[in-house]
Amino acid sequence: MSILGFDTATQRVAVGVGRGGQVLGTRSLAVERQHAEQLVPTIRDLCQESSIELSSLEVIAVGLGPGLFTGLRVGITTARTMAQALDIPVIGVSSLDLVAHPLVGIGRPVVVVANARRNEIYCARYIPTKDGMKREGDYEVLPPDVLAAELAENDDQWLVVGDGVLAHADAFANCDRFESDDDHAMYPSAAPLVAIADVRMRRQEFCDPCDVHPLYLRRSDAEIEWDRKGR
Amino acid sequence: MTLILGIETSCDETAAAVVENGRLIRSSVISSQIDLHARFGGVVPEVASRAHVELINSVIAEALAEADVQFGDLDAVAACQGPGLIGALLVGVSAAKALALTLDVPYVGVNHLEGHLHAAWLQDPDVALPLAVLLVSGGHTMLVAVVEDGRYQVLGQTVDDAAGEAFDKVARICGLGYPGGPAIDRLAIEGDARSIAFPRPMIYEGLNFSFSGLKTAVLNHVRRNPDGDIRDVAASFQEAVVDVLVHKLLEAADISGAATLVMGGGVAANSRLRERLTEAGAASGRTVLVPRMDLCTDNGVMIAATAWWRLRTDGPTSLAGGANPSLSLVSTR
Ligand SMILES: [Zn+2]
């Protein structure tokens, strides 16, 4: 069973391929805003290197965000359309889950914090269990200092991780920050995406291509403004 | 036989079409987002981008079904790569590149403006060159001389608002709905076009356009005459726009030696503009060519048709290509 997975929710593009429960290859590259330029060639190259024929794919997994709106649209449109042409299902996984997933071994509760710009962050909290990281509560969008204050109030020893922590180093100065020499750990990566998709595929937890949607968490400015004016 | 799927998502239409050999329209599906943007009085880029993601795959499926074509039958996939709204463009580009990779066929990134120009050939394959083309919509107001296929000369464009934008803004001033073009067109029929002397901006100043001052003149007039007949405002405003557009298109034809006047874009639906253009053509001994409305407005057919020609002259576009919101029209010959 071949799986292709990719995430475009941050300023990175992460792509991975797997077969029979094994991750065969991954790529992660810093793209700034060039998701559309980089994603398809990276998929092509990685599949070639890993000897994965696109026609042998049984599912496409994609990071749903929350994150950069344009990046998400590029990734999700690519996933939906490839799956549509191949007539295979899609599995959507939150991009925050992809940051949390590899940290299960640390054995501590983790808050994944992604940069949402406009002095806000996207976040979600995870508890390690024997079945992997389990999310507690919803995905949220809020100011970094509000999250930092909430974490300071309870003594659960939360570990903060993600590119939102890098972007708001001051706000999280007094939090326990996840440190790693590998800065990929701050971004959603493709290996957990392929691994999660493999498990879900076996459980038949997939959907039609058109049933995966970006996790925006925020409405468009025009809609927010519309409601604010109370029209 | 070459079958090309063309995808167009540069603004607020999600469109896809299958065209055979660059000419024969096998299918054309256009899903308009007008209702989504109506309450905002104009196209909201983020709202448009989100809608494209939700619509694109069903529009593609419909275009294939209507053409009675399978994915495997396609010889190339094309998308509009600009100009337009960047977030909106990237949805179409991503879908087209995903298909090209998956089906192992060429990808072709198409210039939206070149697409509009190709609508003339779709309507009349034997049209005599050179052409003087007026592209006029909510997104563009532009005069182009088509010297030969692939050789274009941009003679003039708007320095501020597009003509269609001016229609939308004036419609809002007059308390009419969105889109403004059809509303003003309807109302103007009952009004007196000579009742209010609105300015004809830049009419004798070259081939560029400006509509922002005209919009302000309408606003000031309506404020000063709150009880005036709105039908007269609509008719007089419309006449001012049409005067400028027709005058400059004729001037463009003189400069380029064009025997054929072509119009494209959503504003080409305006009944007064069509009437005046027809008169102007007859008076100056020129042929007038206005493609049928679904080829004038944004559509996938023009993208697929242009791609067919592009593919033969320049070959495929790299899969590393992106979108360019301000892509300009450049001659390729
Ligand atoms: Zn257009």
Side-chain angles (χ1 to χ4, degrees):
Chain A
M1 181 168 67
S2 301
I3 295 173
L4 165 68
F6 41 86
D7 184 280
T8 52
T10 64
Q11 293 194 349
R12 306 252 165 150
V13 162
V15 183
V17 288
R19 193 190 288 137
Q22 295 244 299
V23 177
L24 295 182
T26 61
R27 284 276 180 87
S28 172
L29 50 160
V31 298
E32 303 267 309
R33 301 214 159 234
Q34 310 262 298
H35 303 86
E37 288 83 346
Q38 301 285 351
L39 178 60
V40 165
T42 307
I43 293 171
R44 178 194 58 200
D45 297 348
L46 183 64
C47 287
Q48 258 164 25
E49 277 169 32
S50 313
S51 303
I52 296 264
E53 294 280 342
L54 291 176
S55 57
S56 76
L57 291 175
E58 284 175 81
V59 69
I60 292 181
V62 64
L64 300 179
L68 294 171
F69 292 169
T70 299
L72 289 179
R73 283 192 277 268
V74 167
I76 288 170
T77 302
T78 303
R80 280 173 158 221
T81 312
M82 288 185 74
Q84 181 186 19
L86 292 166
D87 197 20
I88 58 174
V90 172
I91 291 174
V93 181
S94 158
S95 306
L96 302 184
D97 293 11
L98 300 179
V99 180
H101 192 88
L103 303 179
V104 66
I106 295 175
R108 287 182 57 179
V110 165
V111 187
V112 178
V113 182
N115 187 4
R117 287 168 179 72
R118 302 176 187 186
N119 205 32
E120 286 189 314
I121 47 100
Y122 301 118
C123 64
R125 303 169 193 219
Y126 300 84
I127 307 289
T129 72
K130 63 175 173 44
D131 299 321
M133 283 299 214
K134 197 173 172 327
R135 179 165 53 85
E136 283 215 327
D138 272 335
Y139 304 106
E140 291 182 278
V141 54
L142 36 98
D145 44 348
V146 171
L147 175 64
E150 278 178 23
L151 296 178
E153 268 174 31
N154 64 42
D155 38 35
D156 274 343
Q157 300 287 303
W158 292 99
L159 194 60
V160 294
V161 60
D163 71 342
V165 179
L166 306 176
H168 299 284
D170 291 352
F172 296 106
N174 295 322
C175 294
D176 245 355
R177 283 167 295 173
F178 175 75
E179 309 279 353
S180 167
D181 296 337
D182 178 12
D183 81 330
H184 289 321
M186 297 295 165
Y187 299 90
S189 47
L193 178 57
V194 172
I196 290 169
D198 191 82
V199 172
R200 291 204 195 162
M201 190 64 191
R202 287 168 206 282
R203 294 191 197 138
Q204 309 241 312
E205 290 172 9
F206 45 68
C207 64
D208 285 341
C210 287
D211 292 332
V212 287
H213 307 280
L215 263 175
Y216 290 114
L217 294 197
R218 268 204 295 236
R219 292 177 307 152
S220 71
D221 290 345
E223 289 166 298
I224 294 168
E225 183 71 1
W226 179 272
D227 284 356
R228 198 183 58 78
K229 286 183 179 166
R231 279 184 284 190
Chain B
M1 180 175 78
T2 306
L3 286 175
I4 298 184
L5 174 72
I7 297 173
E8 157 63 46
T9 61
S10 64
C11 191
D12 62 339
E13 328 270 12
T14 314
V18 176
V19 176
E20 183 180 323
N21 295 338
R23 287 277 154 79
L24 181 66
I25 302 168
R26 293 279 297 263
S27 67
S28 178
V29 178
I30 303 171
S31 175
S32 172
Q33 305 174 5
I34 284 179
D35 296 346
L36 284 181
H37 301 283
R39 63 173 168 154
F40 304 112
V43 176
V44 180
E46 178 61 22
V47 172
S49 304
R50 291 185 182 196
H52 284 306
V53 175
E54 297 307 319
L55 294 167
I56 187 72
N57 299 99
S58 54
V59 166
I60 292 171
E62 221 179 301
L64 293 182
E66 203 178 277
D68 197 17
V69 157
Q70 313 285 322
F71 278 113
D73 299 330
L74 295 173
D75 296 294
V77 182
C80 169
Q81 60 178 354
L85 306 168
I86 183 68
L89 288 165
L90 285 173
V91 174
V93 166
S94 297
K97 294 205 302 181
L99 284 179
L101 174 72
T102 310
L103 306 173
D104 195 22
V105 297
Y107 159 69
V108 189
V110 171
N111 184 312
H112 180 84
L113 300 168
E114 195 175 15
H116 274 304
L117 298 178
H118 272 255
W121 279 280
L122 282 160
Q123 185 76 12
D124 177 7
D126 304 316
V127 63
L129 300 177
L131 313 174
V133 186
L134 171 67
L135 289 185
V136 62
S137 72
H140 9 263
T141 304
M142 184 180 250
L143 286 166
V144 183
V146 179
V147 184
E148 60 180 274
D149 207 350
R151 240 179 96 201
Y152 318 114
Q153 220 180 330
V154 177
L155 299 172
Q157 47 199 321
T158 183
V159 298
D160 42 55
D161 294 350
E165 240 179 310
F167 272 95
D168 287 338
K169 287 176 178 171
V170 166
R172 199 156 26 168
I173 291 167
C174 295
L176 306 169
Y178 172 85
I184 285 179
D185 196 347
R186 269 194 306 276
L187 217 57
I189 293 169
E190 298 163 21
D192 179 358
R194 279 167 301 183
S195 56
I196 309 158
F198 286 129
R200 269 68 174 157
M202 295 173 65
I203 191 162
Y204 300 118
E205 296 163 41
L207 293 176
N208 282 340
F209 301 89
S210 166
F211 292 107
S212 149
L214 174 57
K215 169 202 70 193
T216 308
V218 174
L219 181 62
N220 290 338
H221 175 87
V222 170
R223 279 189 182 150
R224 274 195 304 269
N225 305 277
D227 301 323
D229 192 331
I230 210 76
R231 293 172 299 186
D232 289 343
V233 175
S236 302
F237 159 76
Q238 177 177 277
E239 201 68 15
V241 176
V242 170
D243 266 351
V244 175
L245 293 175
V246 172
H247 178 87
K248 296 204 181 217
L249 177 56
L250 284 172
E251 213 172 300
D254 279 342
I255 290 172
S256 55
T260 309
L261 306 175
V262 182
M263 184 162 64
V267 178
N270 183 276
S271 59
R272 183 65 181 147
L273 180 57
R274 294 171 87 104
E275 189 182 0
R276 288 279 307 280
L277 187 63
T278 309
E279 286 168 15
S284 68
R286 291 188 170 97
T287 310
V288 172
L289 176 61
V290 183
R292 56 176 225 241
M293 238 11 248
D294 62 332
L295 294 178
C296 273
T297 51
D298 294 351
N299 62 80
V301 173
M302 67 185 197
I303 303 302
T306 308
W308 180 79
W309 179 79
R310 273 277 169 185
L311 201 53
R312 292 174 6 136
T313 52
D314 309 317
T317 307
S318 160
L319 285 179
N324 180 352
S326 49
L327 191 64
S328 53
L329 188 64
V330 180
S331 293
T332 51
R333 270 191 198 177

